[in-house]
Amino acid sequence: MKGRSILLRAALPAVFVLLPVAFAQNNPAIAQATYKVEDGSKVDPNTLLGWRTWRALDCERCHGAQQQGLVGPSLVDAFKTLDKNEFHRTVFGGRVDKGMPDFSSSQMMQKNWENLYAYLKGRSDGQIKPGDLQAIDAK
């Protein structure tokens, strides 16, 4: 019995080291939003697509031009805790009782929801400034 206890204790640190890594890799809610930004307004191509999705779907009519909130909540504040899974559920199911439409029929949203998430996360993190964006490699 004592030998098993020692073996278990020896194995536990390895399990605890490996478990969080495997869990994060298999759980998109844990994965970080990936965006690259320079000078606050130059972003990587995917994040630029996210911003263009924001503009094309006119999200600012409810969430404000700077994502500060109007009739809809501030996304700058919400993205401090909102994970990718909850964002996906919200844009593809809506919150009709609160006025948030369901965007599941939008081809643009289907193709770019992760890019939109990255853009909004960058805004919430304070790395992307409000206003027009351009590609990092743009002159």
Side-chain angles (χ1 to χ4, degrees), residues 63-122:
H63 295 287
Q66 297 181 8
Q67 300 76 38
Q68 76 279 10
L70 291 172
V71 294
S74 165
L75 298 180
V76 171
D77 294 340
F79 273 72
K80 304 255 185 255
T81 58
L82 188 71
D83 66 35
K84 279 175 101 172
N85 288 335
E86 183 62 26
F87 178 71
H88 184 272
R89 280 190 296 274
T90 301
V91 296
F92 290 110
R95 291 187 177 159
V96 179
D97 58 323
K98 294 184 177 187
M100 174 70 183
D102 175 350
F103 285 95
S104 60
S105 64
S106 167
Q107 290 291 320
M108 184 172 227
M109 186 64 84
Q110 289 174 20
K111 292 177 184 175
N112 290 299
W113 74 270
E114 289 179 291
N115 299 328
L116 178 57
Y117 180 84
Y119 163 66
L120 293 170
K121 186 65 177 150

Side-chain angles (χ1 to χ4, degrees), residues 3-76:
R4 288 184 191 165
S5 177
I6 291 171
L7 180 60
L8 182 58
R9 285 188 193 144
L12 282 178
V15 170
F16 287 122
V17 169
L18 295 175
L19 183 61
V21 172
F23 184 72
Q25 289 172 343
N26 294 319
N27 189 338
I30 304 296
Q32 294 292 322
T34 56
Y35 59 85
K36 185 174 180 185
V37 60
E38 293 178 4
D39 302 325
S41 63
K42 295 180 180 180
V43 296
D44 64 274
N46 289 335
T47 304
L48 189 58
L49 284 172
W51 174 72
R52 288 180 177 153
T53 300
W54 166 269
R55 299 288 302 256
L57 297 178
D58 201 19
C59 303
E60 66 186 48
R61 71 179 182 252
C62 293
H63 295 287
Q66 297 181 8
Q67 300 76 38
Q68 76 279 10
L70 291 172
V71 294
S74 165
L75 298 180
V76 171

Side-chain angles (χ1 to χ4, degrees), residues 113-136:
W113 74 270
E114 289 179 291
N115 299 328
L116 178 57
Y117 180 84
Y119 163 66
L120 293 170
K121 186 65 177 150
R123 284 285 299 119
S124 179
D125 292 346
Q127 298 300 307
I128 299 174
K129 295 178 182 173
D132 292 343
L133 299 182
Q134 58 182 324
I136 287 176

